[in-house]
Coordinates of all heavy atoms in Angstrom, one line a residue:
T107 N 69.0 100.4 -49.4 CA 67.6 100.1 -49.7 C 67.2 100.7 -51.0 O 67.7 101.8 -51.5 CB 66.7 100.7 -48.6 OG1 65.4 100.3 -48.9 CG2 66.9 102.2 -48.4
S108 N 66.3 100.1 -51.7 CA 65.5 100.6 -52.8 C 64.2 101.0 -52.2 O 63.9 100.9 -51.0 CB 65.4 99.6 -53.9 OG 66.6 99.1 -54.3
G109 N 63.3 101.5 -53.1 CA 61.9 101.7 -52.6 C 61.4 103.2 -52.8 O 60.2 103.4 -52.7
A110 N 62.4 104.1 -52.9 CA 61.9 105.5 -53.0 C 61.1 105.8 -54.2 O 60.1 106.5 -54.1 CB 63.2 106.4 -53.0
V111 N 61.4 105.2 -55.3 CA 60.6 105.4 -56.6 C 59.2 104.9 -56.4 O 58.2 105.5 -56.7 CB 61.3 104.8 -57.8 CG1 60.5 104.8 -59.0 CG2 62.7 105.5 -58.0
A112 N 59.1 103.6 -55.9 CA 57.8 103.0 -55.7 C 57.0 103.8 -54.7 O 55.8 104.1 -54.9 CB 57.9 101.6 -55.2
F113 N 57.6 104.3 -53.6 CA 56.9 105.1 -52.6 C 56.4 106.4 -53.2 O 55.3 106.8 -53.0 CB 57.8 105.3 -51.4 CG 57.0 105.8 -50.2 CD1 56.6 104.8 -49.2 CD2 56.8 107.1 -49.9 CE1 55.9 105.2 -48.1 CE2 56.1 107.5 -48.8 CZ 55.7 106.6 -47.9
G114 N 57.3 107.0 -54.0 CA 56.9 108.3 -54.6 C 55.9 108.1 -55.7 O 55.0 109.0 -55.9
K115 N 55.9 107.0 -56.4 CA 54.9 106.7 -57.4 C 53.5 106.6 -56.8 O 52.6 107.2 -57.3 CB 55.3 105.5 -58.2 CG 54.4 105.2 -59.4 CD 54.7 103.8 -60.0 CE 56.1 103.8 -60.7 NZ 56.3 102.6 -61.4
Q116 N 53.4 106.0 -55.7 CA 52.2 105.8 -55.0 C 51.7 107.2 -54.6 O 50.5 107.6 -54.7 CB 52.3 104.9 -53.8 CG 51.1 104.8 -53.0 CD 51.3 104.0 -51.7 OE1 52.3 104.2 -51.0 NE2 50.4 103.2 -51.2
R117 N 52.6 108.0 -54.0 CA 52.2 109.3 -53.5 C 51.8 110.3 -54.7 O 50.8 111.0 -54.6 CB 53.4 109.9 -52.8 CG 53.2 111.2 -52.1 CD 54.4 111.6 -51.2 NE 54.2 112.9 -50.6 CZ 55.2 113.4 -49.8 NH1 56.3 112.8 -49.7 NH2 54.9 114.6 -49.2
L118 N 52.6 110.3 -55.8 CA 52.2 111.2 -56.9 C 50.9 110.7 -57.6 O 50.2 111.6 -58.0 CB 53.4 111.2 -57.9 CG 54.7 111.9 -57.4 CD1 55.8 111.8 -58.5 CD2 54.4 113.3 -57.0
R119 N 50.7 109.4 -57.7 CA 49.5 109.0 -58.3 C 48.3 109.4 -57.5 O 47.3 109.9 -58.1 CB 49.5 107.4 -58.4 CG 50.3 106.9 -59.6 CD 50.1 105.4 -59.7 NE 50.7 104.9 -60.9 CZ 50.6 103.6 -61.3 NH1 49.9 102.7 -60.6 NH2 51.2 103.2 -62.4
H120 N 48.4 109.4 -56.2 CA 47.3 109.8 -55.3 C 47.1 111.3 -55.6 O 45.9 111.7 -55.7 CB 47.7 109.5 -53.9 CG 46.6 109.9 -52.9 ND1 46.6 111.2 -52.3 CD2 45.5 109.3 -52.4 CE1 45.6 111.3 -51.5 NE2 44.9 110.1 -51.6
E121 N 48.1 112.1 -55.6 CA 48.0 113.5 -55.8 C 47.4 113.9 -57.2 O 46.5 114.7 -57.3 CB 49.4 114.2 -55.7 CG 49.9 114.2 -54.3 CD 49.1 114.9 -53.3 OE1 48.4 115.9 -53.6 OE2 49.1 114.5 -52.1
I122 N 47.8 113.2 -58.2 CA 47.3 113.4 -59.6 C 45.8 113.0 -59.7 O 45.0 113.8 -60.2 CB 48.1 112.6 -60.6 CG1 49.6 113.2 -60.7 CG2 47.5 112.6 -62.0 CD1 50.5 112.4 -61.5
L123 N 45.5 111.9 -59.1 CA 44.1 111.5 -59.1 C 43.2 112.5 -58.4 O 42.1 112.8 -58.8 CB 43.9 110.1 -58.5 CG 44.4 108.9 -59.4 CD1 44.4 107.6 -58.5 CD2 43.5 108.7 -60.6
L124 N 43.7 112.9 -57.2 CA 43.0 113.9 -56.5 C 42.7 115.2 -57.2 O 41.6 115.7 -57.3 CB 43.7 114.2 -55.1 CG 43.0 115.1 -54.2 CD1 41.6 114.5 -53.7 CD2 43.8 115.4 -52.9
S125 N 43.8 115.7 -57.9 CA 43.7 117.0 -58.6 C 42.8 116.8 -59.8 O 42.0 117.7 -60.2 CB 45.1 117.5 -59.0 OG 45.7 116.5 -59.9
Q126 N 42.9 115.6 -60.5 CA 42.0 115.4 -61.7 C 40.6 115.3 -61.3 O 39.7 115.8 -62.0 CB 42.5 114.1 -62.4 CG 43.7 114.3 -63.2 CD 44.1 113.0 -63.9 OE1 43.5 111.9 -63.7 NE2 45.0 113.0 -64.8
S127 N 40.3 114.7 -60.2 CA 38.9 114.5 -59.7 C 38.3 115.9 -59.4 O 37.1 116.1 -59.7 CB 38.8 113.6 -58.6 OG 39.5 114.1 -57.5
V128 N 39.1 116.7 -58.8 CA 38.6 118.1 -58.4 C 38.3 118.9 -59.7 O 37.3 119.5 -59.8 CB 39.7 118.8 -57.6 CG1 39.3 120.3 -57.4 CG2 39.8 118.1 -56.2
R129 N 39.2 118.8 -60.7 CA 39.0 119.6 -61.9 C 37.8 119.1 -62.7 O 37.0 119.8 -63.2 CB 40.3 119.4 -62.8 CG 41.4 120.3 -62.4 CD 42.4 120.5 -63.5 NE 43.0 119.2 -64.0 CZ 44.1 118.7 -63.5 NH1 44.7 119.2 -62.5 NH2 44.5 117.5 -63.9
Q130 N 37.6 117.7 -62.7 CA 36.5 117.2 -63.4 C 35.2 117.6 -62.7 O 34.2 117.9 -63.4 CB 36.6 115.6 -63.5 CG 37.6 115.2 -64.5 CD 37.5 113.7 -64.8 OE1 36.4 113.1 -64.5 NE2 38.5 113.1 -65.4
A131 N 35.2 117.6 -61.4 CA 34.0 117.9 -60.7 C 33.6 119.4 -60.9 O 32.4 119.7 -61.1 CB 34.2 117.7 -59.2
L132 N 34.6 120.3 -61.0 CA 34.4 121.7 -61.3 C 33.8 121.9 -62.7 O 33.0 122.8 -62.9 CB 35.7 122.5 -61.1 CG 36.1 122.6 -59.6 CD1 37.5 123.3 -59.6 CD2 35.1 123.4 -58.8
H133 N 34.4 121.2 -63.7 CA 34.0 121.4 -65.0 C 32.6 120.7 -65.3 O 31.8 121.3 -66.1 CB 35.0 120.9 -66.0 CG 36.2 121.8 -66.1 ND1 37.3 121.7 -65.3 CD2 36.5 122.8 -67.0 CE1 38.2 122.6 -65.6 NE2 37.7 123.3 -66.7
S134 N 32.4 119.6 -64.8 CA 31.1 118.9 -65.1 C 30.0 119.3 -64.2 O 28.8 119.1 -64.6 CB 31.3 117.3 -65.0 OG 31.6 117.0 -63.7
G135 N 30.3 119.7 -63.0 CA 29.2 120.0 -62.1 C 28.5 118.8 -61.6 O 27.4 118.8 -61.0
Q136 N 29.0 117.6 -61.9 CA 28.4 116.3 -61.4 C 29.3 115.5 -60.5 O 30.5 115.7 -60.6 CB 28.0 115.5 -62.7 CG 27.1 116.2 -63.7 CD 26.9 115.4 -64.9 OE1 27.5 114.3 -65.0 NE2 26.2 115.9 -65.9
N137 N 28.7 114.7 -59.7 CA 29.5 113.9 -58.8 C 30.1 112.7 -59.6 O 31.1 112.1 -59.2 CB 28.7 113.3 -57.7 CG 28.3 114.5 -56.7 OD1 29.0 115.4 -56.6 ND2 27.1 114.4 -56.1
Q138 N 29.4 112.3 -60.7 CA 29.9 111.1 -61.4 C 31.2 111.6 -62.3 O 31.1 112.5 -63.0 CB 28.9 110.6 -62.4 CG 29.3 109.3 -63.1 CD 28.1 108.7 -63.9 OE1 27.0 109.3 -63.9 NE2 28.4 107.6 -64.5
L139 N 32.3 110.9 -62.1 CA 33.5 111.2 -62.7 C 33.8 110.3 -63.9 O 33.4 109.2 -63.9 CB 34.7 111.1 -61.7 CG 34.6 112.0 -60.5 CD1 35.8 111.7 -59.6 CD2 34.5 113.4 -60.8
K140 N 34.4 110.9 -64.9 CA 34.8 110.1 -66.1 C 36.0 109.3 -65.8 O 36.7 109.5 -64.8 CB 35.0 111.1 -67.3 CG 33.8 111.9 -67.7 CD 34.2 112.9 -68.8 CE 33.1 113.8 -69.2 NZ 33.5 114.7 -70.2
D141 N 36.3 108.3 -66.7 CA 37.5 107.6 -66.5 C 38.7 108.5 -66.6 O 38.8 109.3 -67.5 CB 37.6 106.5 -67.6 CG 36.5 105.4 -67.4 OD1 36.1 105.3 -66.2 OD2 36.2 104.7 -68.4
M142 N 39.6 108.3 -65.7 CA 40.8 109.2 -65.6 C 42.0 108.4 -66.0 O 42.2 107.3 -65.5 CB 41.0 109.8 -64.2 CG 39.8 110.8 -63.9 SD 40.0 111.4 -62.2 CE 39.7 110.0 -61.3
S143 N 42.8 108.9 -66.9 CA 44.1 108.3 -67.3 C 45.2 109.0 -66.6 O 45.2 110.2 -66.5 CB 44.3 108.3 -68.8 OG 44.3 109.7 -69.3
L144 N 46.2 108.2 -66.1 CA 47.3 108.7 -65.4 C 48.5 108.9 -66.4 O 48.7 108.1 -67.3 CB 47.8 107.8 -64.3 CG 46.9 107.7 -63.1 CD1 47.3 106.6 -62.2 CD2 46.9 109.0 -62.4
P145 N 49.2 110.0 -66.3 CA 50.4 110.2 -67.1 C 51.5 109.3 -66.7 O 51.5 108.8 -65.6 CB 50.7 111.7 -66.9 CG 50.2 112.0 -65.5 CD 49.0 111.1 -65.3

Side-chain angles (χ1 to χ4, degrees):
T107 182
S108 302
V111 173
F113 197 92
K115 185 184 293 185
Q116 180 188 37
R117 187 173 177 182
L118 292 180
R119 279 187 173 185
H120 181 268
E121 294 296 328
I122 292 170
L123 286 172
L124 183 62
S125 63
Q126 285 182 349
S127 63
V128 171
R129 284 198 301 270
Q130 285 192 18
L132 290 174
H133 283 87
S134 64
Q136 302 174 2
N137 291 329
Q138 186 174 1
L139 302 179
K140 300 176 182 178
D141 292 337
M142 294 178 289
S143 60
L144 288 172

